[in-house]
Amino acid sequence: MRLRFLLILPLLSLSLAAVAEQSLQTWLDMALPGSVLRLPAGQYRGPATISKPLTLEAQGKVIIDGGGKGTVLTIKSDKVTVRGLVIRDSGDSHDAIDGGIMAEGNGLLIENNVIENVLFGISLHKSNDSVVRGNRIRSRPVDSADRGDGIRLWYSTGNRIENNDIAQIRDVTVSNSPRNRYTGNTIRNSRRAFNFLFSHRSLIEGNLLEKNSTGIIALNSEGLIIRNNRILHAMDASGAGVALKETSAALIQGNEIVHCAHGIMADSPMNPINRIVFIDNIIAHNITGIYFYGAKGGHIAINNTFKSNLWPVTIIGDGDPMNDIWWGNNWDTYEGFDLDGDGFGDKPHELHAWADRIWMETPSATFFRNSPVLELLDFLERLAPFSTPSLILRDTAPRMRK
């Protein structure tokens, strides 16, 4: 009897090992189109490809392991749902975009997955009208430039990227992908939280972007709405909460931008009839609150709060600063009164460049900003000006502090 048990035990061990290392592709090949495939708890081998509409989800904890080769799970069909899986260990090729999930279909739902130790996280390529929601995404523990993008959109439209927990990635990159929504996401400890390239009419709302090199950067992306985000601690030397370049007709509203190298950076709108509008933002504890560069004009700033910034606003470029509109902003450096009690200062708030014109006109002198010598020179310049200061802005109705 004992001998028979000893003979059965190795066979049983082999059987359990085979189950533990079963191929995910075998399960996918057997599933019928439109079916719901609920994987039993265990570990499955990737890479694998879904080439038919179906739902793939977990019964218990399911791990899909790519074995360090290629992309762990590729979707090449419309109307696919991937839910509740642990996806890990992709290849390491940036050229091949190795990652957790590569999606090339429409009407997809990718939700509540844990994607870890991969190069890229989730990529949507020519994927429209899909939802990426509630996923936890981590790249490799290497330098940020050597990681892949947490989420990557390429020629994809009408998608919703919602409530994802993203950290330790390179960027969330959106390229040639207009009319998508990015709401409720948390992105930490990465390079650029959002990186928009030629991606017009995007909505970025209600996200928490913390301890990234830059919060939101947009290049040649028209009609952006950046609303109600919290952007904190983007303190790299060139870091910014929001950076806009060659971008027109943008609305930046209701954001809290705190402790960044630059709170907001922007050049002027490319089209002279367009405007970049800033409304109801809190811009606090930054080295520079707002930094405008290039030709002056094309900006409207209304009802923003500037608090404890080293320099509230810096403008470098040619043109008339009165081409920008400032109205109803709250300035912690305002020195006027509200004698009529209407909630607005009785005189305009004007901001001038004094000794700081040195580093504005000579960028290499920026290294000495906040140095004792420059601080002393600035003090003496304000006390007894030896040159005419340059007007940076005039807020015609500064709002009084409550």
Side-chain angles (χ1 to χ4, degrees):
M1 185 69 180
R2 184 178 178 183
L3 179 60
R4 184 176 301 172
F5 175 76
L6 292 175
L7 290 173
I8 293 174
L9 185 59
L11 295 175
L12 181 60
S13 300
L14 288 173
S15 177
L16 291 174
V19 170
E21 297 176 0
Q22 58 194 310
S23 169
L24 175 61
Q25 191 64 59
T26 301
W27 287 75
L28 294 173
D29 291 342
M30 292 189 299
L32 296 175
S35 64
V36 177
L37 175 55
R38 293 187 176 93
L39 294 173
Q43 183 166 318
Y44 297 78
R45 292 198 312 273
T49 299
I50 301 175
S51 56
K52 66 193 80 169
L54 57 78
T55 295
L56 175 64
E57 61 184 22
Q59 286 183 317
K61 187 172 183 179
V62 170
I63 298 173
I64 313 299
D65 193 308
K69 299 178 181 178
T71 291
V72 182
L73 184 62
T74 299
I75 301 172
K76 291 191 173 183
S77 175
D78 299 340
K79 298 181 180 179
V80 171
T81 295
V82 176
R83 178 188 295 124
L85 308 177
V86 177
I87 298 173
R88 68 188 189 192
D89 293 338
S90 74
D92 59 4
S93 172
H94 283 83
D95 293 338
I97 316 179
D98 290 344
I101 298 177
M102 169 63 75
E104 300 176 355
N106 301 319
L108 310 176
L109 174 59
I110 303 171
E111 67 174 354
N112 300 334
N113 302 286
V114 174
I115 301 175
E116 60 189 12
N117 194 35
V118 293
L119 189 59
F120 292 81
I122 299 172
S123 298
L124 302 183
H125 279 206
K126 296 185 178 180
S127 178
N128 305 313
D129 304 316
S130 298
V131 177
V132 177
R133 178 172 59 208
N135 301 284
R136 183 182 187 274
I137 302 173
R138 302 290 187 271
S139 186
R140 302 257 167 82
V142 295
D143 185 80
S144 61
D146 296 327
R147 303 170 194 158
D149 299 328
I151 296 178
R152 176 186 177 94
L153 278 74
W154 184 76
Y155 286 94
S156 299
T157 299
N159 301 288
R160 291 157 41 200
I161 313 301
E162 303 173 343
N163 303 321
N164 298 284
D165 173 11
I166 304 171
Q168 192 182 288
I169 62 164
R170 184 174 62 183
D171 313 321
V172 170
T173 295
V174 184
S175 178
N176 299 93
S177 297
R179 298 187 299 278
N180 296 292
R181 302 168 63 95
Y182 309 85
T183 60
N185 302 283
T186 297
I187 306 176
R188 292 188 174 96
N189 301 316
S190 301
R191 189 176 67 174
R192 301 184 186 102
F194 285 108
N195 184 22
F196 292 91
L197 308 167
F198 300 96
S199 296
H200 312 302
R201 299 185 181 277
S202 299
L203 171 66
I204 309 101
E205 182 171 25
N207 302 283
L208 171 60
L209 314 177
E210 185 176 17
K211 295 182 180 179
N212 305 291
S213 296
T214 294
I216 300 167
I217 183 168
L219 173 66
N220 273 304
S221 298
E222 310 294 341
L224 297 183
I225 298 177
I226 302 173
R227 185 167 59 198
N228 298 335
N229 302 283
R230 298 186 69 218
I231 307 173
L232 314 174
H233 312 305
M235 282 300 293
D236 276 19
S238 59
V242 176
L244 307 177
K245 182 174 177 57
E246 300 178 8
T247 292
S248 300
L251 173 63
I252 297 92
Q253 180 179 15
N255 301 283
E256 182 180 349
I257 304 174
V258 177
H259 194 233
C260 301
H262 302 289
I264 298 173
M265 294 178 62
D267 56 4
S268 295
M270 296 294 293
N271 190 320
I273 69 172
N274 289 337
R275 295 292 181 268
I276 299 175
V277 182
F278 311 91
I279 301 176
D280 295 331
N281 300 285
I282 296 173
I283 303 171
H285 301 283
N286 304 287
I287 295 177
T288 303
I290 291 182
Y291 173 41
F292 292 154
Y293 59 94
K296 297 176 182 177
H299 309 101
I300 300 174
I302 299 174
N303 202 37
N304 301 284
T305 296
F306 294 85
K307 182 178 180 181
S308 300
N309 301 287
L310 190 57
W311 285 275
V313 177
T314 296
I315 300 177
I316 299 176
D318 299 325
D320 185 354
M322 298 306 292
N323 290 334
D324 291 321
I325 297 173
W326 301 84
W327 188 91
N329 299 284
N330 189 321
W331 305 92
D332 60 352
T333 56
Y334 180 61
E335 297 177 348
F337 299 94
D338 179 20
L339 298 179
D340 59 5
D342 65 352
F344 297 93
D346 297 326
K347 67 175 184 177
H349 176 65
E350 293 186 349
L351 185 62
H352 294 84
W354 302 82
D356 42 6
R357 291 173 59 190
I358 295 173
W359 56 263
M360 290 182 186
E361 297 171 0
T362 309
S364 59
T366 304
F367 176 79
F368 299 99
R369 289 170 63 178
N370 208 31
S371 68
V373 172
L374 188 57
E375 288 294 310
L376 177 61
L377 186 60
D378 188 71
F379 171 76
L380 295 174
E381 172 77 350
R382 294 170 188 267
L383 186 66
F386 51 81
S387 63
T388 303
S390 174
L391 178 66
I392 293 177
L393 66 89
R394 178 181 291 121
D395 189 328
T396 57
R399 191 177 299 276
M400 300 299 291
R401 283 171 284 183
K402 297 180 181 179

